[in-house]
Amino acid sequence: MKLATRISKQRIRRGYRVRNAVRATGRLRLTVHRSNLHMYAQIIDDSTGKTLVSAGSTEKELGGAGTYQGNKEAAARVGAALGQRAKAAGIEKVAFDRGRYKYHGRVAALADAAREAGLDF
């Protein structure tokens, strides 16, 4: 089996494993998506299948829209904005769904900023 195929399968399995463990908690789920250029995060209610709050580095308020936003500073801005919007919506406790990404670098920066903004996970 090629190395790229094996790594891809490992990432898919890791994503399923993390997501199923987070859903078992019964809390709202803070999910993260990381691309090469941007970071996105949203809080999802799995019981209704609705997104309650979202933030992304492509938003103008967060300095996005056409510029490179694939660094830790941009991820921290997204986490802080998501935390503020969640507090305004009355959301305090969530479960962190990192998906297939390791808790390191940009993902960790987003999580730390969301915690500082008042989210509990």
Side-chain angles (χ1 to χ4, degrees):
M1 180 181 313
K2 291 184 179 179
L3 178 65
T5 305
R6 189 178 79 222
I7 290 173
S8 178
K9 287 182 179 183
Q10 288 172 344
R11 287 179 181 160
I12 291 168
R13 279 198 311 258
R14 183 188 311 134
Y16 283 132
R17 184 176 61 241
V18 169
R19 187 153 295 123
N20 288 334
V22 169
R23 282 186 180 154
T25 64
R27 287 184 175 187
L28 298 176
R29 181 166 53 103
L30 189 162
T31 185
V32 175
H33 176 72
R34 184 188 75 176
S35 73
N36 287 337
L37 298 178
H38 295 287
M39 289 289 294
Y40 308 92
Q42 55 188 352
I43 297 177
I44 301 170
D45 183 2
D46 286 321
S47 63
T48 60
K50 303 249 184 213
T51 299
L52 305 175
V53 180
S54 66
S57 62
T58 56
E59 298 175 9
K60 282 188 178 181
E61 307 89 51
L62 301 180
T67 60
Y68 173 71
Q69 295 293 316
N71 52 23
K72 284 195 227 181
E73 291 82 20
R77 284 195 302 270
V78 170
L82 186 77
Q84 291 171 354
R85 293 173 188 176
K87 291 296 270 186
I91 300 169
E92 294 181 3
K93 293 189 175 194
V94 296
F96 187 66
D97 179 8
R98 61 186 171 85
R100 65 184 191 154
Y101 311 111
K102 293 182 179 178
Y103 188 84
H104 183 266
R106 292 187 286 160
V107 174
L110 187 144
D112 292 340
R115 276 192 193 102
E116 288 177 10
L119 281 178
D120 179 29
F121 55 93

